[in-house]
Amino acid sequence: MSGAAPALHRTVLRLHRTALACWALFVTAVLGGLGWLGGISAPHIRHLEATCTPVDNLCNIPYVGWVYGERLDNVASVIGYGFLAVAAYAGGALIGREMETGTAQLAWTQGVTPTRWLAAKLAVPALALTAGDGVLVAAFRWAWSPHRDLRPGDDWSFGGIFLARGPATPAYALCALAVGALTALLLRRALPALAVSLGATGLLHLVLARVRPYLWPRLTRTEPHAFELDDSAWQVAQGRTADGGYRAAYHPPSHFWPLHLSETGIVLAAAALATAAAFALVRRRTA
């Protein structure tokens, strides 16, 4: 039995080599896009800023900067919301299909315990996802941080960018993997598990996105006259004071990490609960 675990991991790699190859291609493609944005597009915009004259009809820096920011936002969304695809894969193909076709039950009769089978099914993609997402987060931070001045306003609080700048990205992917496995074990059907896992992980994100401003204490500014916060602030509420003044509740950029890490912790806790429930379920059903 000592060689069963390595053999099982090799089997998982062989069965899902196409999915792992697609993941590697996805990571490579996103890295290429970020490399182009940070290494070519941004320096080109700065060159235009330095060489354009007021009479040059091609000198339209605000528009070019807006296009640059929009492209970077799109890449951030692909990175930050990729966990939905993970949920679909884990719920539909990774576990659900093997439960539906009886492949999992067959493996359990070949000297592989259900818990070891599930551990291998989760460990291999978890390592691939953590490594790939870690590289993508590092690359996104490299492309995003040095060129924030090229875009109108500071967008650190935007959904995709908020996730793509830190460990919340791999945390959501691991949570989606765990939720997908749990729903597949519960339903034992590929397509229903896919749909439920997508819905569950999407709902978790929507809830956390809604409560995100309250995961860390906000600052409040009051003035006797109407005012506008700096572009770098994330304004979450505004109104009037009892004496007729104006107030605004907001998060400064320094609150990014407390907010981000708080959300990451909640997502990892949900992932741990889903994983524990999946192992408890597979043990109970095979007892």
Side-chain angles (χ1 to χ4, degrees):
M1 293 296 290
S2 60
L8 182 57
H9 285 84
R10 287 194 296 271
T11 301
V12 173
L13 285 170
R14 185 172 62 254
L15 290 175
H16 301 291
R17 59 183 179 273
T18 301
L20 292 173
C22 291
W23 172 244
L25 288 174
F26 169 80
V27 172
T28 302
V30 175
L31 288 176
L34 287 172
W36 179 80
L37 283 171
I40 298 177
S41 180
H44 175 65
I45 295 174
R46 295 197 184 281
H47 174 72
L48 289 178
E49 287 182 323
T51 59
C52 282
T53 62
V55 296
D56 189 346
N57 292 330
L58 298 179
C59 185
N60 194 350
I61 303 304
Y63 173 74
V64 175
W66 177 83
V67 171
Y68 168 80
E70 186 179 56
R71 289 171 177 170
L72 196 62
D73 291 344
N74 291 336
V75 175
S77 297
V78 170
I79 296 173
Y81 299 127
F83 64 88
L84 293 173
V86 177
Y89 170 66
L94 185 64
I95 305 291
R97 184 174 58 189
E98 296 200 12
M99 295 296 295
E100 184 174 356
T101 60
T103 306
Q105 291 83 348
L106 178 63
W108 300 343
T109 64
Q110 304 299 315
V112 178
T113 64
T115 53
R116 183 171 293 177
W117 170 85
L118 181 58
K121 285 291 183 181
L122 294 179
V124 172
L127 288 174
L129 289 168
T130 302
D133 278 334
V135 171
L136 290 179
V137 168
F140 182 81
R141 292 183 62 84
W142 167 82
W144 181 82
S145 296
H147 308 299
R148 294 165 68 178
D149 61 301
L150 296 180
R151 303 187 303 280
D154 195 328
D155 49 8
W156 67 269
S157 64
F158 290 7
I161 290 178
F162 183 88
L163 297 180
R165 288 182 59 208
T169 291
Y172 269 108
L174 294 176
C175 185
L177 179 66
V179 171
L182 177 59
T183 55
L185 291 170
L186 284 170
L187 301 177
R188 300 188 179 189
R189 299 290 298 276
L191 289 179
L194 184 152
V196 172
S197 59
L198 274 175
T201 52
L203 179 62
L204 173 65
H205 168 69
L206 288 176
V207 171
L208 288 178
R210 180 63 62 88
V211 304
R212 183 177 296 158
Y214 310 102
L215 296 178
W216 195 256
R218 300 169 294 172
L219 301 182
T220 301
R221 175 182 169 185
T222 59
E223 298 285 352
H225 305 290
F227 62 92
E228 292 185 2
L229 294 173
D230 185 83
D231 287 341
S232 65
W234 177 15
Q235 181 172 304
V236 296
Q238 61 180 344
R240 303 293 295 269
T241 62
D243 58 1
Y246 295 82
R247 63 176 177 82
Y250 67 99
H251 289 290
S254 60
H255 284 192
F256 167 76
W257 281 113
L259 289 166
H260 188 95
L261 294 178
S262 296
E263 184 168 342
T264 300
I266 295 172
V267 174
L268 288 176
L273 288 174
T275 302
F279 276 100
L281 182 62
V282 77
R283 284 194 298 265
R284 188 182 68 181
R285 287 192 167 180
T286 58

